Amino acid sequence: MLAVFLKELKSYFTSAVGYIFIGTFLAISGIFFVMYNLLSLSPAFNNTLQSLIIVFLFIIPILTMKIISEETKTKTDQLLLTSPLKITDIILGKYFAALAIFTISLLITILYPIILSKFGTISISEIFTGYIGLFLLGATLISIGLFVSSLTDNQVTCAVISFSVLLFIFMIDSIQEALPSTRNSSIIFIIIIIAITTLFVYFSTKNIYAAAAIGVMGLMITVIIYLTKKEAFDGLIQKVFDWFSLTKRYNLFSQGILSLNSVVYYLSFIVAFVFLTIRMVDKRRWS
């Protein structure tokens, strides 16, 4: 894994991607710092950190678009896939390399609260939790971009899909408010989710029996819940969208609250998407 990590980390600095990501991140964070702290004479640095979330929408697709898709296009992935390295080590090496670039950018911005501390009193605990939340959110979005990169061999397509997925994630709170909360709409929503899951399992495994079993099991569970506890379907769509809101969970960190539930939530998301990426690449290895 270390060899892959060092190779990927080096590739970010031998191409323009690493410099574009770090430069863009620091430039925009500097603008926010001047606007929200220096010009307004405010010591609340977490406002600046929270504003940086929208920057992720544009720069993380740039960071992740080449992780796997570039090697798939140039066929150099065959060298890795036929090497004695485990797929898990390869994917983790690539993921941690992208995460390292993000972490370097984030660490440089620590200069901003240090500057603020020279002119007034700042809340170190709030800033610390704010950075933890921003790091976990960024790490989660990078894992999503990593998975998208495993789906296509075109970097532009990967960047566009990643941007679309992240845009949906950032808009999920607004979408949630416009969704119906009736029992019937929730049932239709569950059926759609079961159908999508069944298709995903089929295209991932090419095993129609496993996919059918998951589909039937999902429908049976839905029917049992409906017959025993119909009220569970009331407002279910809103509850699901609320659970998937990544940005809403960051709000606790920006308020200086270190929530263990949110930490576990982000880590679970990261593990899930890294695992999905490993499965997609492993499938390609044996196809």
Side-chain angles (χ1 to χ4, degrees):
M1 185 182 75
L2 181 60
V4 176
F5 169 78
L6 295 175
K7 172 184 172 295
E8 290 296 320
L9 188 61
K10 181 180 178 181
S11 70
Y12 279 114
F13 292 104
T14 55
S15 65
V17 174
Y19 298 103
I20 291 175
F21 179 87
I22 295 176
T24 304
F25 187 86
L26 293 179
I28 298 178
S29 63
I31 292 172
F32 286 146
F33 173 63
V34 171
M35 290 173 55
Y36 294 124
N37 296 112
L38 297 185
L39 294 181
S40 61
L41 301 178
S42 172
F45 184 68
N46 275 8
N47 293 335
T48 301
L49 291 180
Q50 194 164 17
S51 300
L52 288 177
I53 293 177
I54 193 64
V55 183
F56 293 169
L57 177 63
F58 302 98
I59 63 174
I60 284 184
I62 296 175
L63 182 65
T64 59
M65 67 181 184
K66 65 178 284 292
I67 295 182
I68 299 175
S69 59
E70 182 183 36
E71 294 201 19
T72 304
K73 182 177 181 179
T74 59
K75 304 301 182 183
T76 54
D77 62 324
Q78 299 302 319
L79 297 175
L80 286 175
L81 296 179
T82 55
S83 70
L85 290 173
K86 296 180 180 178
I87 296 295
T88 302
D89 293 337
I90 295 173
I91 299 303
L92 287 177
K94 290 176 174 292
Y95 173 73
F96 285 127
L99 188 60
I101 298 296
F102 171 73
T103 304
I104 291 171
S105 305
L106 203 59
L107 288 175
I108 295 175
T109 63
I110 294 179
L111 291 172
Y112 300 148
I114 292 176
I115 293 173
L116 284 179
S117 67
K118 301 298 181 181
F119 298 97
T121 303
I122 60 174
S123 177
I124 297 178
S125 60
E126 285 189 7
I127 293 175
F128 178 72
T129 55
Y131 268 107
I132 291 178
L134 200 64
F135 172 79
L136 289 172
L137 177 59
T140 303
L141 299 181
I142 290 173
S143 70
I144 296 174
L146 175 75
F147 173 68
V148 173
S149 184
S150 69
L151 300 178
T152 176
D153 60 357
N154 188 297
Q155 292 188 43
V156 176
T157 302
C158 176
V160 171
I161 295 176
S162 296
F163 174 82
S164 302
V165 173
L166 298 189
L167 180 62
F168 173 78
I169 290 173
F170 288 157
M171 293 180 62
I172 200 168
D173 293 332
S174 301
I175 295 173
Q176 174 190 349
E177 297 176 359
L179 292 173
S181 58
T182 61
R183 188 173 299 174
N184 290 336
S185 61
S186 297
I187 295 174
I188 295 173
F189 174 74
I190 291 297
I191 293 174
I192 293 173
I193 294 298
I194 293 173
I196 293 174
T197 303
T198 302
L199 290 173
F200 178 79
V201 171
Y202 173 72
F203 286 113
S204 299
T205 63
K206 296 299 181 181
N207 189 326
I208 190 171
Y209 298 106
I214 289 177
V216 172
M217 187 180 299
L219 290 175
M220 289 178 59
I221 293 174
T222 302
V223 171
I224 292 172
I225 294 176
Y226 182 78
L227 293 176
T228 57
K229 195 175 181 181
K230 294 182 181 180
E231 60 272 14
F233 290 92
D234 295 334
L236 182 63
I237 301 179
Q238 281 76 11
K239 294 175 183 177
V240 171
F241 272 69
D242 183 68
W243 188 87
F244 275 100
S245 178
L246 294 175
T247 55
K248 182 178 291 185
R249 292 178 182 270
Y250 173 76
N251 293 337
L252 292 174
F253 292 98
S254 66
Q255 297 168 9
I257 302 172
L258 186 59
S259 171
L260 182 60
N261 288 338
S262 297
V263 171
V264 173
Y265 176 83
Y266 282 130
L267 293 178
S268 301
F269 241 89
I270 293 169
V271 171
F273 276 98
V274 170
F275 173 77
L276 288 174
T277 305
I278 293 171
R279 294 301 304 157
M280 290 301 298
V281 175
D282 192 46
K283 174 192 170 186
R284 189 183 306 136
R285 184 179 201 174
W286 299 109
S287 62

